[in-house]
Amino acid sequence: MIMEKVCLVLGAGAGIGGSVGKKFAQEGYHAALARRSDEAGLNAMVSDIQAQGGSASGHLVNAVKPDAIENLIAEVEAIGPIEVVLFNLGAQIGNRSLEDTPLKTFELGWQMACNGLFRLAKVVIPLMVARGGGTLLVTSATAAVRGNEGQHSHAAAMGGRRMLCQSLNAEYARQGIHVAHILIDGAVDAPDTLGKMLGAENFAKLREARGMGNDGLLLPEKMAETYYHVSQQHRSAWTHELDLRAFSDLAWWNHAP
Amino acid sequence: MIMEKVCLVLGAGAGIGGSVGKKFAQEGYHAALARRSDEAGLNAMVSDIQAQGGSASGHLVNAVKPDAIENLIAEVEAIGPIEVVLFNLGAQIGNRSLEDTPLKTFELGWQMACNGLFRLAKVVIPLMVARGGGTLLVTSATAAVRGNEGQHSHAAAMGGRRMLCQSLNAEYARQGIHVAHILIDGAVDAPDTLGKMLGAENFAKLREARGMGNDGLLLPEKMAETYYHVSQQHRSAWTHELDLRAFSDLAWWNHAP
Amino acid sequence: MIMEKVCLVLGAGAGIGGSVGKKFAQEGYHAALARRSDEAGLNAMVSDIQAQGGSASGHLVNAVKPDAIENLIAEVEAIGPIEVVLFNLGAQIGNRSLEDTPLKTFELGWQMACNGLFRLAKVVIPLMVARGGGTLLVTSATAAVRGNEGQHSHAAAMGGRRMLCQSLNAEYARQGIHVAHILIDGAVDAPDTLGKMLGAENFAKLREARGMGNDGLLLPEKMAETYYHVSQQHRSAWTHELDLRAFSDLAWWNHAP
Amino acid sequence: MIMEKVCLVLGAGAGIGGSVGKKFAQEGYHAALARRSDEAGLNAMVSDIQAQGGSASGHLVNAVKPDAIENLIAEVEAIGPIEVVLFNLGAQIGNRSLEDTPLKTFELGWQMACNGLFRLAKVVIPLMVARGGGTLLVTSATAAVRGNEGQHSHAAAMGGRRMLCQSLNAEYARQGIHVAHILIDGAVDAPDTLGKMLGAENFAKLREARGMGNDGLLLPEKMAETYYHVSQQHRSAWTHELDLRAFSDLAWWNHAP
C-alpha cells in the first residue's frame, strides 16, 4: 500500500489554515486538519474537501496540553508521512494594555505561539530528516518584527517564534528541511479569528470599508496560493521569509505622510 | 489587432534575467530582453524562446546613457503594454577595499543599480497606473541589507535601491502597482556574472564544490518560478520582499557556530 | 528623611551587572544588586561599593520563582524609589542542537529572559509612572535579532524580549518611561557567565587570543559608561536601541569576506 | 607646537551640526564648522564658541562641487589632526511624489547624502588609520531604514548611506576607526532645516503643539550629549548604530493602535 503524502495544518480555522489545507488537498496531499474546537466546523471542512475528491481528516487538539502536539504527529503519521506542516496557531488577543495583560495571558500566548512550534519541531523535524526532507510553513504576523502598544503578549510570542524559525532553518536547511516564516501584514478576511475578535458588526463594517470581502482584506484562498508555492520551491532557491499584504494596505513600516 | 502583454527584462544575461524572460515567454508573455552587450548571446536567447513557440525581442541598451531607459520603454511599449518589468541590473564588482574603489566606480555602481531603477520607475509606472496596474520585480542582493568589507559601492547602491523599492511600493500599491524586492542571498549559477567575476577556473571549482551545477548554487531556472509566482499573486495578497537561497547555504545573518 | 534614588540590577554578576551597579553607585545612586546565587560574591560586591563611599545592598533572588521579582521590588522600594532598573538576566546556555534542547530547557530560558522582564515591568513601571518617570535598561544579545544553529532556546527568549521592549516603549514612553534595549554583540570579559560557559581554560585562551583582558573582549566597566549615559539622556533625545561590540570584532551581520 | 585635536562638522547649521560643534569645543576640541551658505550665521557660531573660551573655525563649502570635500580636509588638517568628523549633510526635501521628483533632484540627494560621505571617507579615514584611530559620526534619518511615500530621493540616499557606514565599519573598525550611524527618528528643533522646510508659521505651530521648544521636538543640544558620548566610548565597547527620538514621539515602526 502506498501511503499518501500529508500536509498537516495546526490551526485549521476558517481563514488561512482551512484554505491552505484545501489547497494542498487539491494538489494531491492528504490534508490533516487540526484545531482546538468547533467539531462541527472541522467536520464540514473535511467533508467539503472530500466532496471535491480530496483526502482529508479532522483532529481536535488543544495544543497547549502536554503531549497533545506529540500525539497528533503520531496520529497523522499513521495516515501517511508528513511532508508539509503549517503551524498556524496564533496568539492575537487584541490590544491589551500592560495592566490588562495578566501574567497567565502572557504565558499562554507564548505557550501557543512559540513553545508550540518548538514542540512540533522537536517531533516532526527528525522524522522529516530521516526521510530526506520536508517543509515547515509558519504563519506569522507584524508583531513578530515590531512591538506595539497593547501587544505585549502577542509581540513577545511572535518575536520569539521568528527567532526560533531562524534557528531551525540554520540548523536544518542543509538536511533538507525548508522552514518558511510567512509574515501576514494586515487584516485577514477570516470570520473565525478577526471576525470573533472584532465582533460580527465591526467585522462587517471593516469588510464593507475595505471592499466587502472582495480584496481589501487579505483573502485566505489567495494567500494559500503563495503558501503552496513556497512549499514547492526547488531546494536550490528556497524562501525563508516573505510578507503578504493587500495592495490597499500600507506596509507596517509606513504611515500616511 | 490585439497586442501581447509584455514582460520587459533589464539585465537579460544568461543567469536570472534570461531565465525569467524565458519563463514569462512560456507563460504567454512577449519577453523583451534588454542587455548592454553580447548581441550574439542576446539573439541566441531570443531565437531559443521563439524556437519553443514563444514571443521575444532583443534590445541592446547601455542603461547608464541618458535617455537609454526612457527610449527602451517607448520601443517596447510599441510591441505591447508592459505588464511586468524585471529590473535585474547589478552592481557587483567583487570585493574592493575603500582605497581600491575609485569615486567613478562608486558613482557608476549607483547609476546602474539605483538611479537606473528610479529612471525606469519614472517612465513605466505612470503607464501602468493609467492601465490600472502592473508589476515591478527587482532583483536584489544581500548587500541591500548589510554592508560588508570591500562592498562600499555595491552595498550603497543596493541599500539605496531597497529603500527606493519601499518608497515606490508605499506610493503606488494602492494604484495597483506591485513592487517586489527579491533578495538573492547566495551565489547564482550564472556564467555571465558570477562566472566572469570569479574567472572560469574559480567558477568551475565553486560549482564543483557545491555540486556541479546541480543545486548547491542558486539555479536561475528555479528562481524564475518564484519570480513568476510573485508577479501572478492576487492583489489581496502581495509579497513586497522575499529572500531566495540554496538549501545548502547559510542565511546572511548566520555564521558557522 | 530623604530617600536615596535607587538603581536596581537584576542579574548582578561579576560582568555587566556588577559593573553597571558600581557605576551607578559612583554616580550617587543606591545600587540594589540582585542575583540568584553566590552570596559571598554578592556581599563582596556590596562591600566593595561601600568601601568606595557608595551605597549598595545585596539581594539573593531566584527570579523564576513565583512572586520572587514582585517581592524584590517591594523590598528595594523600601530602601528608596527605583529610578533605574537594569534587567540583566540572560538565557545563554551555549550551543545546543534541537535534539539536545529539552522542552524544560526551552521553557526555562523563556521564563528567565522574557517572562521575567514582563513580570518586572508589570510591577515596577506603574510605580515609575506614578512618580513621573523612570528608566528600564535591558541587556540583550545578538540572538535577539537573528536565530542561529544551536540557539533555539536563547534566540526565542531574546527575540521575544526585544519585541516586549518595543511594546513597553510604545506604551510608556509618553508617560516618561525610558526603555532601552542594549544589544551586546560579542563576547564579554565576564568570568561569571562566559567564563563558566567556556570553562576556565578556554576562557583564559580566548582572553589571551583577544588581548588578555585588555580590550579584545567587551569590558564590562567600559560598557557601564554607556549604560549610564543612556539612563541620563534628556527625554527629548532618548535612545531605544543601540549595539555594543569590541572594535576588534565583526558585527553580527558581517562575515570575513 | 602642539596642535589641537579637531572635530570637523560637515553640515554645521543651527541644529544638530552647530550644537555638536559647540559641545566638542566645550570639551576641548577645535571645532571646524563647515556649511554651504550663510557666512554671517557661520561667523556668529564661531564667535559664540570663541566667546566661551573655545576654539573654532568656519568653512564655507559646497560639498557637491568636485574636490570641495577633499580640499576642506586639507584645510582643516592644517589646523590640527581631525580626530572626529561629523557628517551631517542631509537630503531631506520634504514629501515629493515620484512625478514631482526630477531626476536631477534624485541625483543631487544622493550626491550630498551618500556620495559625499564616500568622498569624505576616502580622504579622512586613511589619515586617521595612519594616526591609529579616529571617529566618524554620521547623522541619519528614519528614511535610512524604511522608504515611504514621497521619500524616493531621501530614502534612496539615506539607505545607501547606511549600508556605506556598515561597509566602512566592517573594513576599518579593527584599524581603530569608530563609525557610528545615528538614526534621528523624529522632528528636530532646528530652524535652519525643519524650520525652512515647513516655513516659519508651520514650524512655530509644530513647536507650539509639541511644547514650544521645550522637549516635544528633539533638542539639538541634548542630542549633542549623545554624539559626544559615542565619540568617547572605549574601543572595547563601541556603538555602531543607535536611534534618538523624543519621549513624546512614536518610534518609526509604531502607529497609533
Side-chain angles (χ1 to χ4, degrees):
Chain A
M1 173 199 165
I2 296 170
M3 291 174 81
E4 303 173 279
K5 59 186 177 181
V6 171
C7 170
L8 166 62
V9 178
L10 260 89
I16 297 170
S19 298
V20 170
K22 200 170 166 182
K23 170 70 184 171
F24 276 85
Q26 286 166 353
E27 301 287 346
Y29 286 76
H30 173 87
L33 307 175
R35 56 189 294 177
R36 192 178 44 186
S37 57
D38 186 8
E39 191 165 6
L42 181 58
N43 289 340
M45 287 172 57
V46 170
S47 304
D48 185 38
I49 288 174
Q50 291 170 338
Q52 295 176 39
S55 172
S57 54
H59 310 262
L60 278 183
V61 172
N62 184 350
V64 299
K65 287 270 170 69
D67 299 322
I69 292 177
E70 295 75 4
N71 292 340
L72 172 66
I73 302 298
E75 191 176 309
V76 174
E77 282 275 322
I79 300 173
I82 301 174
E83 207 178 281
V84 179
V85 188
L86 167 59
F87 188 78
N88 193 50
L89 299 180
Q92 178 57 280
I93 50 168
N95 278 313
R96 296 271 194 103
S97 72
L98 182 64
E99 213 176 335
D100 291 342
T101 309
L103 180 55
K104 210 180 159 117
T105 300
F106 187 76
E107 291 175 333
L108 186 61
W110 179 79
Q111 272 181 23
M112 280 184 56
C114 187
N115 203 31
L117 176 59
F118 179 79
R119 288 167 59 201
L120 172 67
K122 286 274 288 180
V123 186
V124 83
I125 286 183
L127 299 174
M128 289 175 167
V129 167
R131 288 192 288 257
T135 300
L136 174 52
L137 305 173
V138 179
T139 299
S140 181
T142 318
V145 283
R146 70 99 188 269
N148 213 346
E149 196 178 335
Q151 290 284 304
H152 309 289
S153 166
H154 190 220
M158 299 308 273
R161 175 157 149 173
R162 181 167 178 255
M163 287 301 103
L164 178 56
C165 286
Q166 292 191 5
S167 297
L168 294 171
N169 175 62
E171 194 158 312
Y172 287 106
R174 279 162 294 176
Q175 298 181 57
I177 308 303
H178 184 184
V179 180
H181 184 257
I182 303 175
L183 205 155
I184 310 307
D185 183 30
V188 179
D189 190 33
D192 275 18
T193 47
L194 185 64
K196 277 186 187 157
M197 203 170 83
L198 296 178
E201 196 180 347
N202 285 333
F203 184 54
K205 272 187 202 163
L206 177 62
R207 293 181 91 209
E208 182 78 44
R210 295 292 189 85
M212 199 51 187
N214 197 329
D215 58 9
L217 300 179
L218 283 146
L219 300 180
E221 68 273 21
K222 303 302 183 183
M223 302 167 78
E225 299 290 328
T226 292
Y227 278 72
Y228 183 73
H229 173 77
V230 169
S231 77
Q232 303 301 308
Q233 286 177 317
H234 186 267
R235 68 179 195 163
S236 81
W238 277 352
T239 293
H240 174 66
E241 189 165 77
L242 78 166
D243 51 8
L244 287 177
R245 75 180 57 77
F247 78 103
S248 54
D249 217 352
L250 287 174
W252 64 265
W253 57 81
N254 290 129
H255 307 229
Chain B
M1 172 198 166
I2 295 170
M3 291 173 81
E4 302 172 279
K5 60 186 176 180
V6 171
C7 170
L8 166 62
V9 177
L10 259 89
I16 297 170
S19 298
V20 171
K22 200 170 165 182
K23 170 69 182 171
F24 276 85
Q26 285 165 353
E27 301 286 347
Y29 285 77
H30 173 87
L33 306 175
R35 56 189 293 176
R36 193 179 43 185
S37 57
D38 185 10
E39 191 164 7
L42 181 58
N43 288 340
M45 288 172 55
V46 170
S47 303
D48 185 40
I49 289 174
Q50 290 169 338
Q52 295 176 39
S55 173
S57 54
H59 310 261
L60 278 183
V61 172
N62 184 348
V64 299
K65 287 270 170 70
D67 299 323
I69 291 177
E70 295 75 2
N71 292 340
L72 173 66
I73 302 298
E75 193 176 307
V76 174
E77 282 274 325
I79 300 171
I82 300 173
E83 207 178 281
V84 179
V85 187
L86 168 57
F87 187 78
N88 193 49
L89 298 181
Q92 178 57 280
I93 50 168
N95 278 313
R96 298 268 193 103
S97 71
L98 182 64
E99 214 176 333
D100 290 342
T101 309
L103 180 55
K104 211 179 159 119
T105 300
F106 188 77
E107 290 175 334
L108 186 61
W110 179 78
Q111 273 181 22
M112 280 184 55
C114 188
N115 201 33
L117 176 60
F118 178 79
R119 287 166 59 201
L120 172 67
K122 287 275 289 181
V123 187
V124 82
I125 286 183
L127 299 174
M128 289 175 167
V129 167
R131 289 194 286 258
T135 301
L136 174 53
L137 305 173
V138 179
T139 299
S140 181
T142 318
V145 282
R146 69 101 188 268
N148 213 345
E149 195 179 336
Q151 291 283 305
H152 309 288
S153 166
H154 191 219
M158 299 308 273
R161 177 154 145 176
R162 181 167 178 254
M163 287 301 103
L164 178 56
C165 286
Q166 292 191 4
S167 298
L168 293 171
N169 175 62
E171 194 158 315
Y172 287 106
R174 278 162 294 177
Q175 298 180 58
I177 308 302
H178 183 186
V179 180
H181 184 257
I182 303 175
L183 204 155
I184 310 307
D185 183 29
V188 179
D189 190 32
D192 276 18
T193 48
L194 185 64
K196 277 186 187 157
M197 203 170 82
L198 296 178
E201 196 180 347
N202 286 333
F203 184 53
K205 273 188 204 164
L206 177 63
R207 293 181 90 209
E208 183 79 41
R210 295 294 189 85
M212 200 52 189
N214 198 328
D215 58 8
L217 300 178
L218 284 145
L219 300 181
E221 68 273 23
K222 304 302 183 182
M223 303 166 77
E225 298 292 327
T226 292
Y227 277 73
Y228 182 73
H229 173 77
V230 169
S231 78
Q232 303 300 309
Q233 287 177 317
H234 187 267
R235 68 179 195 165
S236 82
W238 275 352
T239 293
H240 174 66
E241 189 165 75
L242 78 165
D243 51 8
L244 285 177
R245 76 180 57 78
F247 78 103
S248 54
D249 217 354
L250 288 174
W252 65 264
W253 57 81
N254 289 128
H255 308 232
Chain C
M1 172 197 166
I2 296 169
M3 291 174 81
E4 303 172 278
K5 60 187 177 180
V6 171
C7 170
L8 166 62
V9 177
L10 260 89
I16 297 170
S19 298
V20 170
K22 201 171 166 182
K23 170 69 182 170
F24 276 84
Q26 286 166 353
E27 302 286 348
Y29 285 77
H30 172 87
L33 307 175
R35 54 190 294 176
R36 192 179 42 185
S37 56
D38 186 8
E39 191 164 6
L42 181 58
N43 289 340
M45 288 173 55
V46 169
S47 303
D48 186 39
I49 288 174
Q50 290 169 339
Q52 295 177 38
S55 172
S57 53
H59 310 262
L60 279 182
V61 172
N62 183 350
V64 299
K65 288 269 169 71
D67 298 323
I69 291 177
E70 295 74 3
N71 292 340
L72 172 67
I73 301 297
E75 193 177 307
V76 174
E77 282 274 324
I79 299 171
I82 300 173
E83 208 177 280
V84 178
V85 187
L86 167 58
F87 187 79
N88 192 49
L89 299 180
Q92 178 56 280
I93 50 167
N95 278 312
R96 298 270 194 102
S97 71
L98 182 63
E99 213 175 332
D100 291 342
T101 309
L103 180 55
K104 209 179 162 117
T105 300
F106 188 77
E107 290 175 335
L108 186 61
W110 179 79
Q111 272 180 23
M112 280 184 55
C114 188
N115 201 31
L117 177 60
F118 179 79
R119 287 166 59 202
L120 172 67
K122 285 275 288 180
V123 185
V124 83
I125 286 183
L127 299 175
M128 289 175 167
V129 167
R131 290 194 286 259
T135 301
L136 174 52
L137 304 173
V138 179
T139 299
S140 181
T142 319
V145 283
R146 67 102 187 268
N148 213 344
E149 196 179 335
Q151 291 284 304
H152 309 287
S153 166
H154 191 220
M158 299 307 273
R161 176 155 146 175
R162 180 167 179 255
M163 287 301 103
L164 178 56
C165 286
Q166 292 191 4
S167 297
L168 293 171
N169 175 62
E171 194 158 314
Y172 286 106
R174 277 162 295 178
Q175 297 181 58
I177 308 303
H178 182 185
V179 180
H181 184 258
I182 303 176
L183 204 154
I184 311 306
D185 183 30
V188 179
D189 190 32
D192 276 19
T193 47
L194 186 63
K196 278 186 187 156
M197 204 169 82
L198 295 178
E201 196 180 347
N202 285 332
F203 184 53
K205 273 187 202 163
L206 177 63
R207 292 181 91 212
E208 183 78 41
R210 295 292 189 87
M212 200 53 189
N214 198 330
D215 58 7
L217 299 178
L218 284 146
L219 299 180
E221 69 273 23
K222 304 303 183 183
M223 302 166 78
E225 298 291 328
T226 293
Y227 278 73
Y228 183 72
H229 173 77
V230 169
S231 79
Q232 303 300 310
Q233 287 178 318
H234 186 267
R235 67 178 196 166
S236 82
W238 276 352
T239 293
H240 174 66
E241 188 166 75
L242 78 165
D243 50 10
L244 286 177
R245 75 180 56 78
F247 78 103
S248 54
D249 217 355
L250 287 175
W252 64 265
W253 56 81
N254 288 129
H255 308 230
Chain D
M1 174 200 166
I2 297 171
M3 292 174 81
E4 302 172 279
K5 61 186 176 178
V6 172
C7 170
L8 167 61
V9 177
L10 261 89
I16 296 170
S19 297
V20 170
K22 201 170 166 183
K23 170 70 182 170
F24 275 85
Q26 286 166 354
E27 301 287 347
Y29 286 76
H30 172 86
L33 307 175
R35 56 188 295 177
R36 191 178 46 187
S37 57
D38 186 8
E39 191 164 6
L42 181 59
N43 289 340
M45 287 173 56
V46 170
S47 305
D48 185 39
I49 288 173
Q50 290 169 338
Q52 295 175 40
S55 172
S57 54
H59 309 261
L60 278 182
V61 172
N62 184 349
V64 299
K65 287 269 170 70
D67 300 321
I69 290 177
E70 295 76 3
N71 293 338
L72 172 67
I73 302 298
E75 191 176 310
V76 174
E77 281 276 323
I79 300 171
I82 300 172
E83 207 177 282
V84 179
V85 188
L86 167 58
F87 188 79
N88 193 49
L89 299 180
Q92 178 56 281
I93 50 168
N95 279 312
R96 298 270 194 102
S97 72
L98 182 64
E99 213 177 335
D100 290 341
T101 308
L103 180 55
K104 211 182 159 115
T105 300
F106 187 76
E107 290 175 333
L108 186 60
W110 180 79
Q111 272 180 23
M112 280 184 56
C114 188
N115 202 31
L117 176 60
F118 178 79
R119 288 166 58 200
L120 172 67
K122 287 275 288 180
V123 186
V124 84
I125 285 182
L127 298 174
M128 290 175 167
V129 167
R131 289 192 288 258
T135 301
L136 174 52
L137 305 173
V138 179
T139 299
S140 180
T142 318
V145 282
R146 69 99 189 270
N148 213 346
E149 195 179 336
Q151 291 283 303
H152 309 289
S153 165
H154 191 220
M158 299 309 272
R161 175 157 148 173
R162 181 167 177 256
M163 287 301 103
L164 178 56
C165 286
Q166 292 191 3
S167 297
L168 293 171
N169 175 63
E171 194 158 314
Y172 286 106
R174 280 162 293 175
Q175 298 182 57
I177 308 303
H178 184 184
V179 180
H181 184 257
I182 303 175
L183 204 156
I184 310 307
D185 184 30
V188 179
D189 190 33
D192 276 18
T193 47
L194 185 64
K196 277 186 186 158
M197 202 169 83
L198 295 178
E201 196 179 346
N202 285 332
F203 184 54
K205 272 187 202 164
L206 177 63
R207 292 182 90 210
E208 183 78 44
R210 294 293 189 87
M212 199 52 187
N214 199 329
D215 59 7
L217 300 179
L218 283 147
L219 300 180
E221 69 273 22
K222 304 302 184 185
M223 301 166 78
E225 298 292 327
T226 292
Y227 278 72
Y228 183 73
H229 172 77
V230 169
S231 79
Q232 303 300 309
Q233 286 177 318
H234 186 267
R235 68 179 195 164
S236 82
W238 277 352
T239 293
H240 174 66
E241 189 164 77
L242 77 166
D243 51 7
L244 287 176
R245 74 179 59 76
F247 79 103
S248 54
D249 217 354
L250 287 174
W252 64 264
W253 58 80
N254 289 128
H255 308 230

